[in-house]
Structures are given as C-alpha cells and as structure tokens.
Amino acid sequence: MADGKTNLVAADGTTSRGHIEMNFKLKYISLAVLVVQNASLILSIQYVRMLPGEKFLATSAVVMAEILKVLTCVLIILLQKRFNVKETISCLVDAILQKDVLKLSVPSLIYTLQNNLQYIAISNLPAATFQVTYQLKILTTAIFSVLMLKKTLSKVQWLSLLLLFVGVAIVQVQLGGSKQEVRANQNNAVGLAAVIISCMSSGFAGVYFEKILKGSSASVWVRNVQLGIFGTALGMLALWWNDGATVTRLGFFSGYTSMVWCVILNQTFGGLLVAVVVKYADNILKGFATSFSIIISTVMSIYLFAFHVDQLFIAGAGLVIGAVYMYSLPKSTPNLNSSSSSSSMRTEEGCKVEAFQTKFGKKEKGS
C-alpha cells in the first residue's frame, strides 16, 4: 500500500514537473516568436520599400494580406468541422448574415486605414524610430479603454504612460535635429503624421472591437473572416481610389518580388501566429517582447540602413522600453482585473489574442 501511494505521488510529481517545464518552454518560445515577428515585419517593410526598381503598391499588399487572412481562417474553420464542407459553408453563411456583422465595418475600416498608414510611416521614417514611436498605441488604447470601457488604471500605469509620451517626444526631437541623411522620397513629417494617426486608430479600433467581442459568442476565427471580408472590400475601394490608374496600367501585382511576398505572408500569418502563441505568454513577457524588438530593430537598422544612434535616441528609447515594461506589470489591487494592462498591446492582432484566450482559456479551467 505504502509503495503504491509512493509510486502514485511520484507519478503525479513527475507529471506536474513535466507540465511546468512544458509551460516554461512554451512561454519562452512565445517570447522568441513575438520578438522576431515584431522586429522582422518593420525591418522587412522598410527594406523592400527602399529597393531600387519598380515599387509595389502598398494598397494592393494590404488587400492581399486580408485575402490570405480570410482563406487561412476559413481553412481553420474547415479543420474544426473535420473537413465537413456543408457545415463549414453553413457556419460562414450564418457569420455573414449575423445581425451584428455590420458593427464590424467600423473596426475593419479603421484597420484598413491603419495598415495603409503603417506602410506610409515605415517608408518615411527609420525603422527604429517607427518602432519606438508606434508604442504610442499603448497610450491611445489606455485612454480609449478608460473613456469607452470605464477601465481603471493603476498609478504605476499612469506614470508609465507619462514616461512613454516623454520618451517618444525625445525620439522625435532627436529625429528633427538629426544630421542623418534623409533618403530620397522620404518625408519625416509625413511619416510622423502617419504613425500618430495609426496609433490613434489602433487604440480606438482595438477598444471598439473588444466591446463587440464581450457581447458575442462567435469564435475568433469567424470574427476574423467577418473582419477580413470587410477589410478586403474596403481595401479594394482604397486601391481603386488611390492607385486605380496604376493598377489598370501595370496590374495588381506590379512590383511584386519574392521579398514583397515574404512581407505579405509575415503580415498575414505572423498576426495569426502571435494570436496563438500569446496564449502561453503573460503581459510581462509581452512587455519584454516589445522591448527586445525595439532593441533588435535599432541594432539591425544600424547595419542595414546606416541608422545613426545618438544620446537623445538612447534616452528616449530607454524611457519607452521602461514604460512598456512598467505598464505590463500586474496590478497590486486584487479587485481590479488585469484586462486593462493587456489592452496595451491591443492592435488588431491584440484584440484577437484576447478573444482566443477568452474562448479557449475557460475551457481549460473547466476541464
């Protein structure tokens, strides 16, 4: 009897240790994926926009990413239905005909605008400067969360937002006074305006999307299909409005190379992959990922784009990195949930992450 109990305890202990070790590995795999995806997307977009020769149309790249995202989510739904085509089609038709589907036109419109603005911003700013400045999305998301969702932020989070704003301001002062050579067709003022509008739209759309998700039972993949359909339609409208003549003359895939396809695939599958791996990463880990990606973007920009780092940039970037980490720290007050801190990363993919965690996390707890 004693031996049996000992063996049972040993077995339980081994299982428990194995589970802890697996979670530990998954967390740091998640960290690596987040860092690589965050840094590589920005660097690769700037790289392909700087290559000589015919330029691809950013509006067509946004449309192509939306189409691939819809097709990927449809495939995932098909897998969930065990390749039952009839059930999959029925699910998709129900999703399209839902009463609240029109509500998604608002965040979809904003996300389409945001994706186009990101191309404009990265094309006109150094990658490292964009990466630092783009963290203003944390500030805008926090403000919209307080105003629209009545969330409460801790004193540490308010302090981190102040430091974030100061850090970004210092980086912009550095950019304005930099002796760095501005590349042909680059306009820092246009890039700054684009990234600020992108951050504001990201904050509003993220919070609005979260509000919709809270009152919905639809899966994250169905919601992605709905968003993607609207995004494709709106993206095609933007393509026709802005580049219709060019597309008529040169074609939709004008300027596409293997590197451009890599950027589009990164933008499409990277976001969905992040939505999955963040399930295993907490807010502190996400804060570290953002901080590491800023550092990697800066280092790689020095080697790839001859980016000049001075003391002002280091000070500003340091404040932003510290602010991101501070904001991701859990609240000390027990009765305040941590959802407001998780909203700091709430871009389009951030919202989908929360939906994914809400849907599948509760199942694990109940199992």
Side-chain angles (χ1 to χ4, degrees):
M1 288 290 289
D3 289 341
K5 287 182 180 179
T6 304
N7 291 337
L8 181 61
V9 171
D12 288 345
T14 304
T15 303
S16 178
R17 279 197 302 273
H19 184 69
I20 291 171
E21 288 176 4
M22 178 62 69
N23 281 344
F24 182 82
K25 289 178 181 178
L26 286 172
K27 278 190 175 184
Y28 286 93
I29 290 172
S30 301
L31 174 63
V33 171
L34 287 169
V35 171
V36 170
Q37 202 275 334
N38 283 344
S40 65
L41 180 60
I42 294 166
L43 291 167
S44 59
I45 289 176
Q46 182 156 98
Y47 179 76
V48 296
R49 297 301 280 176
M50 289 171 53
L51 289 175
E54 190 178 349
K55 304 295 182 186
F56 71 99
L57 300 174
T59 47
S60 74
V62 170
V63 171
M64 201 64 235
E66 290 295 329
I67 292 172
L68 291 175
K69 198 176 293 182
V70 170
L71 293 176
T72 303
C73 291
V74 169
L75 179 59
I76 291 172
I77 294 171
L78 183 63
L79 288 171
Q80 289 178 340
K81 301 295 182 182
R82 299 184 179 181
F83 293 98
N84 188 319
V85 178
K86 187 176 179 180
E87 282 189 22
T88 302
I89 293 173
S90 176
C91 175
L92 294 173
V93 170
D94 289 343
I96 294 170
L97 297 179
Q98 279 182 10
K99 292 180 180 179
D100 65 344
V101 72
L102 287 176
K103 293 180 181 177
L104 292 172
S105 61
V106 176
S108 185
L109 172 63
I110 297 173
Y111 287 140
T112 303
L113 171 67
Q114 177 191 338
N115 290 335
N116 281 284
L117 286 172
Q118 282 183 5
Y119 276 101
I120 295 172
I122 296 172
S123 300
N124 286 280
L125 291 173
T129 303
F130 171 83
Q131 182 81 305
V132 172
T133 309
Y134 193 56
Q135 301 315 310
L136 279 175
K137 66 186 177 183
I138 299 174
L139 174 62
T140 59
T141 302
I143 292 172
F144 283 117
S145 294
V146 171
L147 294 176
M148 295 172 62
L149 301 178
K150 308 301 180 186
K151 290 188 177 180
T152 306
L153 303 181
S154 67
K155 292 180 180 178
V156 172
Q157 286 177 318
W158 282 116
L159 176 60
S160 69
L161 293 176
L162 176 62
L163 291 176
L164 176 69
F165 181 80
V166 172
V168 171
I170 290 174
V171 168
Q172 294 308 315
V173 169
Q174 179 271 344
L175 181 65
S178 175
K179 296 179 181 178
Q180 206 158 219
E181 181 183 352
V182 178
R183 298 181 187 275
N185 300 322
Q186 268 195 338
N187 187 318
N188 290 339
V190 171
L192 178 59
V195 75
I196 289 175
I197 297 172
S198 181
C199 288
M200 292 177 66
S201 63
S202 172
F204 176 78
V207 174
Y208 183 92
F209 191 50
E210 180 186 356
K211 199 171 183 178
I212 293 174
L213 286 175
K214 284 187 173 180
S216 170
S217 59
S219 75
V220 63
W221 308 117
V222 169
R223 283 304 191 197
N224 277 333
V225 170
Q226 293 171 329
L227 275 173
I229 291 171
F230 277 114
T232 302
L234 293 168
M236 288 296 290
L237 185 61
L239 175 66
W240 171 80
W241 180 269
N242 195 58
D243 299 306
T246 305
V247 172
T248 303
R249 191 175 75 257
L250 300 175
F252 182 88
F253 297 106
S254 170
Y256 275 51
T257 63
S258 57
M259 276 300 301
V260 173
W261 279 110
C262 286
V263 169
I264 294 172
L265 292 174
N266 189 349
Q267 195 169 25
T268 303
F269 299 112
L272 295 174
L273 180 62
V274 167
V276 175
V277 300
V278 165
K279 182 176 183 289
Y280 302 100
D282 54 28
N283 287 319
I284 297 177
L285 216 58
K286 285 188 283 183
F288 272 121
T290 303
S291 302
F292 283 141
S293 63
I294 291 173
I295 294 170
I296 289 174
S297 295
T298 303
V299 173
M300 293 302 294
S301 293
I302 294 171
Y303 287 100
L304 293 175
F305 312 122
F307 180 69
H308 175 68
V309 176
D310 59 16
Q311 292 180 346
L312 269 180
F313 181 87
I314 293 172
L319 281 175
V320 170
I321 290 171
V324 169
Y325 175 73
M326 285 173 62
Y327 192 87
S328 65
L329 291 173
K331 291 185 178 181
S332 57
T333 308
N335 64 337
L336 296 177
N337 60 54
S338 61
S339 58
S340 59
S341 61
S342 66
S343 66
S344 64
M345 304 298 175
R346 195 159 286 126
T347 56
E348 179 181 359
E349 286 71 27
C351 296
K352 295 166 187 173
V353 167
E354 179 159 326
F356 186 92
Q357 290 172 323
T358 302
K359 179 173 174 60
F360 297 101
K362 288 180 180 176
K363 287 184 180 179
E364 290 176 359
K365 289 179 182 177
S367 59

